[in-house]
Amino acid sequence: MGLTDSAERPGFILSTVDALLRWGRSHSMWICNAGSACCSLEMLAAGGPRYDMDRFGTMVRASPRQSDILVIPGPITKKMAPVFTRVYNQMAEPRWVIAMGSCAITGGAFRESYSMTKGADTVLPVDVFVPGCPVRPEALIYALLLLRKKIQTTTTVGESHREPVYLPPVLPPEWTAEVDAFLGEGEVCAE
Amino acid sequence: MIPASWFLALGAIVFLIALFGFLTRRSLIQSLMCLELMLSSVNLTFVTFGRTVGDPAASGVTFALFAMVVGAAEIGVGLALVLVFFREGHANVTSDDLDILKG
Amino acid sequence: MFGEGLVKGLGVTGKRMIGRGVCDMYPYKRRVLPPKSRIFLSMRATPDGMPKCQSCLTCQQTCPDHVIRIERDPEDRKRALSFTVDSGRCTFCGMCEEACPYDALVFTQDFERATFEKGTLTYRLIDAGIATESCVTASAEEQPVHASAEGGRDAG
Amino acid sequence: MPDSVPGGAYVVFFLLAAGAVGFSLAMLFSRNFVHSAAYLAAALLAFAGLNALLGATFLAMLQVFIYAGAVTVVVVFVVMMTRVGVADWRALLQPQSKLAAAVVVVFGIGLLNALAGFVPALASPKAPVTTRTIAELLLKEYAAPFEISSLILLAALIGAIYLAKEARQ
Amino acid sequence: MTPRMFVFQLLGVLGLIVVLGLNIIIMDWWERKLIGHIHVRPGPMHTGFHGILQPFADMVKMLAKEDVVPTEADKLFFWAGPMIAVVPAFLAMVVLPLAPGFVLADIGHGLFFVFAMQTIMPFGFTLIGWAAHNKWSLVGGLRSAAQLISYEIPMLISALAVVMVAGSARLTDIVDAQATVWYVFKLPVAFALFLVTAVAEMNRTPFDMTEAESELVAGIHTEYAGMKFGLVMMAEYTAMLVGSWMIVLLFLGGWNLWPLPPSPLWVVLKVYLLQSFIVWLRGTYPRLRMDRIMELSWKYLIPAALANLLAVGVLVIVFKGF
Amino acid sequence: MDTYFTDLSALVLAGLGGLLFVSALYGAVRLLAPSRPYALKNQTYECGHDPLGQPWVPYRIQYYAFAIIFLIFDIETAFFYPVALAWRRLGPAALVEIAVFAGILLVGLLYAWKRGVLKWD
Amino acid sequence: MIADHPRVGHVTTGGTTESIVLNMGPQHPSMHGVMHMQLELSGETVLAARPVIGYLHRGIEKLAEHRTYAQCMVLVDRLDYISQYSNEWAYCRAVEKLAAIEVAERAEWLRTLYAELVRITSHLLWWTSVGLDLGAFTPMIYAMLPRERIFDFFEATTGSRLMPNYLRFGGVKEDVEQAELDGIHDYLAVDYMKLLDDYDTLLSGNEIFISRQEGLARITTEQAVSWGVTGPMLRATGCPRDLRKDARYGVYDQLDWETQTDTRGDALARYTVRVKEMRESARIAMQCIERMPAGEVRTKVAKILKPPEGEVYVRHESTRGELGIYIVSDGTAKPYRFRVHSPAFMNVSALPHMLPGEHIANFFAIFGGADNVMAEIDR
Ligand code: SF4
Ligand code: SF4
Ligand code: SF4
């Protein structure tokens, strides 16, 4: 088990290591390339010449194993939810999630639809929510910096690990029920 | 100075190991690997003998060189044969019950 | 000739390698966003904290995503007790702003709204009948625009 | 070699010898052929080291270059094109392996016996064996084997390609 | 083998490890910076002065990143594969001189030794790709192995032209023979062939088949998390260093920079210029297709290299002073 | 033996040093990194899907041609190497010999070419 | 009912010992969104390909039935988020046809302008992915430069970089200031053209690039037509089918421009057609700005639009091909049925025909050439 796992009261060495690790983690946040919808265009733009996430050491990696942050740039449909959970679960710890855009936060423009989950936080533990539709590239960078602050202030000593996130292999009944309701009655805009 | 016999003994031991493998292994691939090992140990012996006689003409090394050529040619053809056997459905290039891919 | 394109391509990238970058350097310098850009839904308020909203509920009905929730004052039908916006659902389509007959709604260019808590994305523009700090205070020279005076703005 | 530490060469020798024997055994007893190939490469590398220890640097490098590099890659390729391993250790063995073991033991005893009576010392070469001499040997004294070896290689190449092509159909 | 020698060698090895680490740190930063500027953006900027601390941050993060070992992966080689890739590249550095005499082991077959080490690398890559038990990795590993073995031969043959002219395979001798005329001017064809094949051996664009990010997710290191990924990167950067160093020694005059006095500085300078050039290539070109890569090597480069070798041989015989 | 041996010991030392260095990195990872394996995490990554089938299936046999040609040409260059070293001493006869040698092997390459195995597809 | 769980069945052709079945996507760097391709590979040759779609199915068509006509604009924007103005325009045309609404003169010009600008950005995005798919990632960043400039224009005039919600029935939301128009005109005339020239040198002239595209997945016009392929992909086979000319909408008939075609029908032709269209679109946009008449941008339309009962189908040349919008009205404020004929869907369904037998590296060149947007396919 890791050095930083068990220690109860950090001594000098441990706290130095802790500070170093926090610095390293917060300055090298690699994003997992999991584009899904419109917001991923702005994620692309955030890596582009005008905004350039790379200034903060943020690269986009193709494999979830090597990335630290899962940015969810768009709607999580019910078909996509297992994919995102799997990708999240396959990321190496420590890992964080940013819900980018209204779709990922609540479902946004499609919230009432039968095929949508009601936000990323219903399937994944989300750290940062960035409102916008689409999210401006600057706003995404702001969110990254916010997350950096969080990483910097969270001690790595006695790191509390995130519990694994499972999604049942078959769709939850309430999801299908919702579909039935939608197709059957034709009016679900309850609010 | 390390005695030459040590090298010779080492060559012999490895040769024997490889020979044992060559004779007992069922899989053609492993047999071929053992063959390579045998050739290597023989090469070592050549070189050692070359050194013991203080061979100025470096015949030992040259001989080993040709041995390598033969060895490479043999393994090339041998492995091609393995492939042919494999394709022809003789899964017993290794054995009959080799369905499990991971050891 | 073969290879010509390869060399020229190097030229294209080489030129840019030496040239100046176009980066905004975002957190250190900020680009001034155009006033029209729709980023944060806010409300105009008078300097003494009175919102311009007349509680006509047009925006609530227009919004395709049910983002706006208005609580009307039961006594004064022209006064909203609370005006809640769930920016986590808003699509920033601008339909509410366009539809508001009193021109009360306005978009500001404040995009730094990321948060750790989903709940904080829901904010109030009017709380207990008074404009909150999320509102923009209309400056003195800005004339209140009344729907009947202008008319054309929401002709759709 | 007046100021040399004799221990150094011995340490290296034992390291390499242990490597050679150990990896050969590992190769033999590994059920996964990719592992076998890797152990083979390691054993061959150890042999290269031994050759270098004997002063045959060129041969040592050839050993790395041809055996550890090329041959093992070929073996790994073939392993990946067929089956990767066997499930059961016993499936590795030929039915008549007891016999083979006996043969090996008998042969081994004979071999080691012969070696025991023969303890030569390493002699320094009278003239320095350079690679250039090898080249001269190759092109002058052994010119015929040199060209023949190219023919062998050609035959192997054509044969192997023919077979591989056959195998594809 | 005196104790002094032993200590000297030990220090040398330590120094080489430092060089290895330093190189990956410098190159990581420099590559991102350079690519950034090619892309008209600044690249790493806010971690230290102009992002100079960025590689350190990455390193620290990788060290503290969980090491995921897939259940179905081959545990042994999932662990040892990156090692097998790093160590030969590192070993090759042992014989590369920085200045006359300034080399850990100035062996007579230095050039051949580097190639011998390079032949081990495809084996390492295959193992890395295979061990992960992942289709992307497997395809990436086999591809890179096939590519590496294909380009090794023309590379060595074109290097043999240098050996022929220099009459020695000792790298210091080869460099010394270029005191006035670099071999790049004497043997331009060999240089061109060597450059192309060296770029291919380094797995760099346009030959970056190991990664082929758009095709194979992340290629051979799809499954490798944290430090193991770092090690694979380290192997690649080290291979790049070794390759450019070889080019500098063989063709670009090594520490000679006529008319200035020879200095190890020139080697460093040339090596990094060359690496920058390779990064520049990466920033410009798309990737060749796998079958084109193989065809290029077997159908064009190898015959060309052989022809070049024979031509140089004739020249050496005809003009004694060539 | 001595000069060989100093070089060899440098190489052995470097090899050991390299291995130690890498092991040290692995050790550091063990010490510093969190570790929480669970089944889903350790599953093979396949673009966010259940892995379909086995990756370790017999691969394409025709790639074997590349391996074998490589092996043969590897040996050829290994022969060339000493010849190139001694070239200045060898003279024109060597040229012929080496040309014949290379020519014979080029025939092999040509054969492979004509058989169409030099295609990666 | 969601019948299928994502864990879909296997590729149908029976596997031989040598073949691997590979899941490409949905989380894959170059699947352009959340496409999922099941490939059966033998070595590196594709034996069979099966696109699996629906990962981005947000139920837009169904949602539209619960929204007023004006509110649907928000959904239409997000239909094909790369060429929003095209979608909006197609939708507006459909509704205008249904409710017989006049369109203001200047608005037609503005619509044409925006549609062409968005065609440029869309093609630029496609250009990035073409480079990226082939391993060159510099085009991706370079294409961002003109895109950002055009987005600036969009944002300054319509309020959003990507999701404008700008078109209205009978016109557009608001007028555009002349200064902005002049700015973008100058940009298109000089800087943009220069950039395009550079980009052409960078990628189009690159021998590696050409060698990877030439002769790849060649299709004939007949094949394309029978698969329902439209847009640049069809035009690359030599068929000059362009709804901007054929369906006569907007002000295209008053402008001087040409349909871009290429006769080769391979991936390179698809590339060339799109690159030529980038220039042509800029020409159209510049003409629009030069010749735009002054006047109202919006006609009077009822606040809550209730089109008469009936149905309508309009065809529209979006960036990817023929975009069809079908609306059935039952006389209420909400559409009774809203249906989209997606060009990208047709282009993707041609892929299984084009892919088998190709090398896996070509897969992305072909796939990228189809220029699909999953949002539009899945809806
Ligand atoms: S939040 Fe808006 S822009 Fe982002 S994915 Fe959702 S609909 Fe698209
Ligand atoms: S901008 Fe659109 S989604 Fe947001 S509150 Fe206004 S009308 Fe609703
Ligand atoms: S439309 Fe304007 S005035 Fe009416 S409730 Fe909304 S904000 Fe208030």
Side-chain angles (χ1 to χ4, degrees), chain G residues 105-107 109 175 251 254 288-296:
Chain G
E105 165 80 13
R106 183 173 166 88
W109 287 85
D175 203 351
V251 292
Q254 302 173 41
C288 281
I289 297 173
E290 285 155 11
R291 298 171 43 190
M292 192 178 295
E296 280 293 308

Side-chain angles (χ1 to χ4, degrees), chain G residues 65-360:
Chain G
E65 294 168 14
H66 299 282
R67 300 197 170 187
T68 65
Y69 283 93
Q71 286 177 338
C72 282
M73 197 69 84
V74 177
L75 296 176
V76 170
D77 266 341
R78 283 147 184 84
L79 195 59
D80 172 355
Y81 48 75
I82 300 173
S83 59
Q84 315 85 3
Y85 292 94
S86 289
N87 303 340
E88 285 191 8
W89 196 3
Y91 174 66
C92 278
R93 279 179 56 218
V95 175
E96 280 154 9
K97 201 167 157 192
L98 193 63
I101 299 171
E102 254 325 88
V103 184
E105 165 80 13
R106 183 173 166 88
E108 284 284 20
W109 287 85
L110 279 174
R111 287 177 177 188
T112 313
L113 168 68
Y114 278 97
E116 290 311 313
L117 284 180
V118 91
R119 191 182 306 276
I120 291 174
T121 59
S122 168
H123 279 348
L124 277 170
L125 188 78
W126 159 84
W127 194 71
T128 73
S129 61
V130 149
L132 209 56
D133 289 349
L134 301 184
F137 56 111
T138 305
M140 165 174 116
I141 306 283
Y142 283 1
M144 223 70 101
L145 296 169
R147 263 171 72 85
E148 290 291 340
R149 177 61 187 84
I150 295 175
F151 282 164
D152 277 354
F153 172 72
F154 285 167
E155 187 172 24
T157 55
T158 71
S160 179
R161 285 160 58 91
L162 281 183
M163 298 300 162
N165 190 17
Y166 180 60
L167 267 56
R168 292 289 182 273
F169 309 129
V172 297
K173 187 174 164 194
E174 52 199 343
D175 203 351
V176 181
E177 280 157 38
Q178 192 58 37
E180 292 286 350
L181 289 175
D182 290 345
I184 196 75
H185 182 276
D186 292 350
Y187 178 75
L188 288 178
V190 187
D191 289 359
Y192 172 72
M193 289 298 178
K194 255 198 228 149
L195 281 179
L196 267 195
D197 285 344
D198 263 10
Y199 298 171
D200 250 2
T201 343
L202 177 63
L203 204 55
S204 323
N206 190 312
E207 278 88 348
I208 298 175
F209 177 78
I210 294 172
S211 80
R212 288 203 59 170
Q213 295 266 338
E214 210 162 23
L216 195 61
R218 184 162 297 181
I219 53 174
T220 61
T221 310
E222 290 74 47
Q223 279 174 321
V225 169
S226 68
W227 295 332
V229 167
T230 49
M233 254 175 115
L234 177 62
R235 289 198 280 279
T237 64
C239 173
R241 167 82 166 161
D242 193 332
L243 290 170
R244 286 176 289 176
K245 272 217 157 76
D246 300 344
R248 305 201 157 266
Y249 60 89
V251 292
Y252 286 113
D253 45 356
Q254 302 173 41
L255 299 171
D256 166 35
W257 63 283
E258 254 138 57
T259 302
Q260 300 300 331
T261 56
D262 196 307
T263 48
R264 286 168 294 179
D266 56 356
L268 192 60
R270 299 195 265 281
Y271 174 87
T272 329
V273 165
R274 287 201 177 93
V275 170
K276 281 197 274 186
E277 271 183 14
M278 280 199 257
R279 288 176 205 277
E280 201 64 22
S281 289
R283 265 188 63 209
I284 300 177
M286 284 190 290
Q287 287 179 42
C288 281
I289 297 173
E290 285 155 11
R291 298 171 43 190
M292 192 178 295
E296 280 293 308
V297 294
R298 203 165 168 181
T299 53
K300 275 259 181 228
V301 177
K303 223 172 188 177
I304 304 287
L305 185 68
K306 285 188 180 154
E309 255 179 70
E311 56 175 14
V312 67
Y313 179 80
V314 298
R315 293 175 303 165
H316 192 94
E317 183 73 23
S318 99
T319 352
R320 267 152 275 282
E322 179 179 329
L323 173 71
I325 302 267
Y326 174 66
I327 301 177
V328 181
S329 161
D330 57 355
T332 61
K334 297 173 178 178
Y336 176 75
R337 176 87 172 92
F338 177 74
R339 167 97 177 93
V340 179
H341 168 93
S342 151
F345 181 79
M346 303 311 284
N347 294 355
V348 159
S349 39
L351 286 177
H353 303 286
M354 292 157 73
L355 284 172
E358 290 289 351
H359 194 269
I360 189 172

Side-chain angles (χ1 to χ4, degrees), chain E residues 38 135 143 214 283 287 289, chain G residues 21 30 44 134 138 142 362:
Chain E
I38 286 176
K135 291 161 195 168
R143 270 186 179 192
S214 53
R287 168 185 315 126
R289 209 167 65 210
Chain G
V21 178
S30 53
E44 300 206 4
L134 301 184
T138 305
Y142 283 1
N362 287 342

Side-chain angles (χ1 to χ4, degrees), chain E residues 107-119:
Chain E
I107 61 177
H109 301 292
L111 183 140
F112 200 60
F113 180 77
V114 175
F115 282 97
M117 285 303 122
Q118 241 159 26
T119 36

Side-chain angles (χ1 to χ4, degrees), chain D residues 74-125:
Chain D
V74 177
V75 171
V76 165
F77 261 61
V78 170
V79 170
M80 284 182 188
M81 283 162 198
T82 54
R83 301 272 190 205
V84 168
V86 294
D88 185 11
W89 197 83
R90 244 163 306 156
L92 280 177
L93 294 179
Q94 291 275 26
Q96 64 278 49
S97 60
K98 291 223 177 70
L99 189 67
V103 169
V104 168
V105 167
V106 170
F107 185 61
I109 287 172
L111 195 63
L112 290 177
N113 209 19
L115 267 181
F118 175 67
V119 190
L122 286 185
S124 288

Side-chain angles (χ1 to χ4, degrees), chain B residues 72-95:
Chain B
E74 153 260 308
I75 199 155
V77 179
L79 288 176
L81 275 174
V82 171
L83 288 182
V84 173
F85 284 154
F86 179 73
R87 261 342 275 270
E88 309 243 300
H90 294 275
N92 49 5
V93 177
T94 49
S95 174

